[in-house]
Amino acid sequence: MTRVAIVTGASGGIGREVAQRLAKGGLAVLVHYSGNKARADEAVAQIAEAGGTASAFQADIAVETQMTALFDEVERRYGGVDVVVNTAGIMLLSPLADLNLDDLDRMHRTNIRGTFVVSQLAARRVRQGGAIINFSTTVTKLAVPGYTAYAASKGAVDAMTLILAKEMRGRDVTVNAVAPGPTATPLYFNGKPQEVIDAAAKASPLERLGVPADIAEVVAFLAGPARWING
């Protein structure tokens, strides 16, 4: 039986790399996207060219009826779902005192509500032996100024992940969160001066930024062989 994965936010950045890596490992992948159909179709085409199986589906991650339709469709196309990777997220930076509260609401809707909606559906539908993988951030621990609202939204993801892992007792489904550090994606580079990027790269003992492929390898590990890593 072919294992099946849903990857949210998979049309670009880390999500796209994750989708390609899981497909390379033999999983059929549903590429979720919110608005950019061309990029999603390109991701599917790249997976197909490499010999993998994938298709795309558009949905608003925070709308439960749309995401329910996505889960319905993946079951119709591929027979079920084994791995759900929730990479979809937005990052809007500002000191707390200056934060536009509309930006807070936008991050809450995508990063918290969206993760909750996807996790709820995954908890109900992922098959035995499966994995639910959310995305957090190292900023929840590093406490970098300007990241207040973003870190708060990802702190909520951490809490959801830890508790859901315990609520899945007896199902043989692991639940974990991946917390990337600075990773070379458009989301990270947006609005950052070069000196900030250089300092982040230098802070790592490897003296470079992470790249999406680094993160995708961790996801592939959690999605497959890492059965004892849970919560």
Side-chain angles (χ1 to χ4, degrees):
M1 182 181 71
T2 300
R3 298 181 80 225
V4 179
I6 294 169
V7 182
T8 71
S11 63
I14 292 173
R16 185 170 185 157
E17 193 74 34
V18 165
Q20 291 173 336
R21 176 62 183 83
L22 293 179
K24 182 180 178 182
L27 281 76
V29 179
L30 188 78
V31 172
H32 159 268
Y33 68 99
S34 61
N36 197 323
K37 184 179 187 301
R39 288 178 67 190
D41 288 343
E42 185 180 76
V44 169
Q46 286 181 337
I47 290 170
E49 287 167 10
T53 300
S55 57
F57 195 94
Q58 189 276 333
D60 184 329
I61 195 171
V63 179
E64 61 271 30
T65 53
Q66 293 187 26
M67 294 307 294
T68 297
L70 181 149
F71 274 76
D72 289 344
E73 185 62 17
V74 78
E75 290 175 352
R76 186 189 70 79
R77 292 180 190 179
Y78 303 119
V81 60
D82 303 282
V83 177
V84 175
V85 187
N86 198 25
T87 74
I90 59 174
M91 180 172 67
L92 305 168
L93 304 182
S94 168
L96 187 149
D98 303 323
L99 180 71
N100 182 324
L101 293 178
D102 288 342
D103 288 347
L104 176 66
D105 291 342
R106 285 177 61 197
M107 281 189 284
H108 183 284
R109 187 176 189 278
T110 298
N111 299 355
I112 300 179
R113 180 183 170 89
T115 300
F116 198 100
V117 167
V118 172
S119 295
Q120 185 177 69
L121 288 163
R124 294 169 178 171
R125 301 209 193 187
V126 166
R127 293 187 286 208
Q128 184 174 0
I132 300 168
I133 303 164
N134 291 323
F135 263 66
S136 180
T137 174
T138 57
V139 177
T140 58
K141 305 295 190 295
L142 297 175
V144 179
Y147 285 79
T148 320
Y150 177 69
S153 74
K154 292 300 189 176
V157 171
D158 288 347
M160 277 187 262
T161 302
L162 293 171
I163 295 170
L164 181 58
K166 294 182 178 180
E167 292 180 345
M168 296 298 285
R169 177 181 294 275
R171 292 275 304 279
D172 190 26
V173 172
T174 61
V175 187
N176 292 290
V178 175
T183 305
T185 66
L187 180 71
Y188 177 75
F189 288 131
N190 185 36
K192 287 187 175 65
Q194 189 61 45
E195 58 267 23
V196 170
I197 296 168
D198 292 343
K202 190 71 174 177
S204 167
L206 296 177
E207 296 190 333
R208 67 172 177 85
L209 296 178
V211 295
D214 296 322
I215 314 305
E217 285 298 330
V218 177
V219 172
F221 181 57
L222 293 172
R227 299 305 302 166
W228 196 242
I229 299 176
N230 190 22

